[in-house]
Every structure is written in structure tokens, then in C-alpha cells.
Amino acid sequence: MPPSAASMTLVTKVKVQLKLAIARLRMVQHRDEALAKNQRRAMAQLLETGKIDSARIRVENIIRSDIATELHEILELYCELLLARAGLLDAPTCDAGLEEAVKSIIYAAPKTEIKELQAVRTLLGEKFGKDFVMTAMENSDGKVSEKVVKKLSVTPPREELVVGYLEEIAKAYGVNWPKKPDADLGDAPPDFLDDDGDDNPSGGQAQKNLEAPLVADPAAGGKDAQVQEDLSKATPPRTFGPSSPLHVNPPSPSTDNIHPKVTLNSKELKPDKKAAAPAVAKKPQAKGGISDGIPDVDELAKRFAALKR
């Protein structure tokens, strides 16, 4: 049965409001990120001046703002999903592939400041009926996303989350918090202690008698040098070939995981801090060239022969 004209008009209105809601959600996210930067800078100043109690209270506003930003990101994804599958909204009942997105938007829209999202909720209520809206608001069937329910719950943040935020802010702005005591280096070893009763001109530090250098056999030395030269030619340099294709990038920190880590077989993987520098090809220097500045043996022999004449 083809959809009626009223249904098509309603779906068209939903699509328009979804586009407006996506634009509004992105704008609010950018605004909150800019405000969060200023708040983090203020937190760093409080930590630097030692106002820890005030920082602990005010950092909860930053946590709540981050939770709201994460909620807006989830709702934006749901709006994009409904916009991509808008053709399924023509059905008289909600499609199983859209049920979570539709009910999550209906559940979260009244608890946000996005008016366009509330307009989408109203249109979805007209489409699927009051009973559908009541079921979504009460979440009696558990179809609303657990992340959305968790982000909208009004509970104070955990103590470890507050401390984790303060540590990350202090680390980002170079503030020594929590205060780290100076490391105890311990006593100096006996070899580094000065002996005032000694007339040793080396500053009281005992010097060991140098052993006689080992004299290598010329024949064996030449052979070893040849072997080392052959090995250096046969062994490829470390920079030879492509670098490893595996790059470990930990996920961005969030309110659920303030210290993200990447593990493989219960072993933590960390990204390589040393950037791979490109290999610089050395230009071969001409033997005995003008730029070298030192003449070779043949040139010296010619000069001595000319002097003897």
C-alpha cells in the first residue's frame, strides 16, 4: 500500500527538522568546547595557587559540560541515522532498525536545550502515537540507548573521575599537582667521595693505572677488517625498507575513561614518541678533489718527483 500524502508530508517535515537539529547540535558542541577550554585554564590557575577545594567543586561543571557534549554527539549520530533511513519512516509502525534511534531522541529531547530536537520529537509522536511516546519516555521496554540514559542521569561524579580531571588539567598546563616531593638520591658511592688527606691532583679521586694497550697482529687485523667491511656491506641499514605499518593511537579521553589505554595480550601498547626521520643520502666525495682539501698519494708522489728534478 503506497504511503498517503499526509504521511509523506510528515516525513518531509521530519527530514527538515533533522537537518536543522544536526546543525544546531554541532554549533552547541563547538560552543561548549570553547567554554571548556577557558574553564580548564581557570582550573589550572586554581591548582597553581593551591586552591584545591575550590578546584574540586568547579571541576564538576567541566565534567557535566563534557557529559552534555558526549550526549549531543550521540544524538547527532541518531539524527544522521534517521535522515539516512528516512524512507523507513513511511511505514505505519516503527522499523526495528530505527526503534533505538527514535526512542532515544524522544527520551532525550525534553532534557536538552535543542529546540529543533524537540520539534523532531513532536513530529515522531504524531507519526507513531501517544502510546509509543509514553513507552519511550518510561523506557519500559529498554529500547532507549544505555549511554543516553547514563548521560542524562543526575548523579554527582565519582571521586576518581574528579581527581583524574584535575590531574589531566594540571598535566596539560604544566602545573605540579599533586605535589611531587624531590626524589631522594641517597648517599654518593665511595668512588665519588673527596679525600682531603690525599695529595692527588685529580681532586681526591683515585685514578686507576692504565693497562698497556693490546697490539693486534697486522695480518689478523687486516683479515678482521676485511670481515667487518664485508659484514657492513651485507647487513642492510636500520632505515632500509618501509617502516612498521602498525601505529598505536589510544582513544580520546572521555568521562567514562579518563585515562585511555591500548592493550594487546594484557600488555599496554604505547605510541612511539620518536618520529621516524627520513634517511639522508650522503653525497659521494671525489677522492682527492678540490673540495676535499687533502691531495691523495698519487698527487703527492708527483709533487715529490717534480721537486727532485
Side-chain angles (χ1 to χ4, degrees), residues 13-14 16-28 31 72 75 79 105-106 108-124:
K13 291 181 180 179
V14 171
V16 172
Q17 292 299 327
L18 284 172
K19 292 179 182 178
L20 294 175
I22 291 173
R24 176 71 66 178
L25 285 167
R26 290 176 181 172
M27 186 182 67
V28 171
R31 182 201 66 186
H72 292 158
L75 295 177
C79 289
I105 290 176
I106 292 175
K111 302 177 178 64
T112 62
E113 58 176 334
I114 312 300
K115 294 182 179 179
E116 292 78 2
L117 207 60
Q118 297 177 12
V120 173
R121 175 184 181 272
T122 302
L123 293 173
L124 292 175

Side-chain angles (χ1 to χ4, degrees), residues 137-148:
M137 291 300 298
E138 297 174 358
N139 194 21
S140 56
D141 55 356
K143 295 295 184 178
V144 180
S145 173
E146 294 182 1
K147 291 184 178 180
V148 172

Side-chain angles (χ1 to χ4, degrees), residues 15-245:
K15 291 171 65 176
V16 172
Q17 292 299 327
L18 284 172
K19 292 179 182 178
L20 294 175
I22 291 173
R24 176 71 66 178
L25 285 167
R26 290 176 181 172
M27 186 182 67
V28 171
Q29 290 175 41
H30 290 315
R31 182 201 66 186
D32 292 344
E33 288 175 0
L35 293 175
K37 288 182 180 179
N38 296 331
Q39 291 176 345
R40 281 177 168 82
R41 193 177 295 110
M43 290 301 100
Q45 294 176 356
L46 291 175
L47 293 175
E48 191 173 8
T49 55
K51 299 179 180 179
I52 310 301
D53 294 337
S54 180
R56 283 178 178 271
I57 295 174
R58 295 187 182 184
V59 78
E60 293 188 10
N61 294 328
I62 300 178
I63 296 174
R64 178 55 57 185
S65 176
D66 287 351
I67 292 174
T69 301
E70 293 170 4
L71 174 65
H72 292 158
E73 291 176 356
I74 297 172
L75 295 177
E76 180 186 347
L77 291 176
Y78 282 145
C79 289
E80 291 178 351
L81 177 64
L82 291 182
L83 191 60
R85 301 179 181 178
L88 298 177
L89 294 175
D90 291 329
T93 58
C94 183
D95 188 85
L98 299 179
E99 191 171 4
E100 179 180 342
V102 171
K103 289 190 174 181
S104 297
I105 290 176
I106 292 175
Y107 178 86
K111 302 177 178 64
T112 62
E113 58 176 334
I114 312 300
K115 294 182 179 179
E116 292 78 2
L117 207 60
Q118 297 177 12
V120 173
R121 175 184 181 272
T122 302
L123 293 173
L124 292 175
E126 293 178 8
K127 172 65 180 176
F128 299 113
K130 293 183 178 179
D131 294 338
F132 185 88
V133 173
M134 291 299 298
T135 303
M137 291 300 298
E138 297 174 358
N139 194 21
S140 56
D141 55 356
K143 295 295 184 178
V144 180
S145 173
E146 294 182 1
K147 291 184 178 180
V148 172
V149 175
K150 184 177 179 181
K151 302 298 181 187
L152 289 172
S153 62
V154 184
T155 55
R158 306 184 309 275
E159 178 66 19
E160 55 268 21
L161 182 61
V162 172
V163 175
Y165 259 74
L166 292 177
E167 288 178 352
E168 289 297 323
I169 292 172
K171 183 179 178 181
Y173 289 91
V175 179
N176 184 16
W177 189 90
K179 298 290 184 181
K180 297 178 179 136
D182 296 335
D184 187 8
L185 301 178
D187 297 332
D191 295 341
F192 287 87
L193 295 177
D194 292 336
D195 189 1
D196 296 338
D198 191 4
D199 295 335
N200 193 348
S202 63
Q205 204 171 9
Q207 294 182 350
K208 295 181 180 180
N209 295 328
L210 299 177
E211 298 179 357
L214 297 176
V215 180
D217 187 5
K223 187 177 181 181
D224 293 342
Q226 184 65 28
V227 172
Q228 291 293 336
E229 185 178 357
D230 294 340
L231 285 175
S232 64
K233 292 180 180 179
T235 305
R238 292 182 179 178
T239 57
F240 179 78
S243 59
S244 174

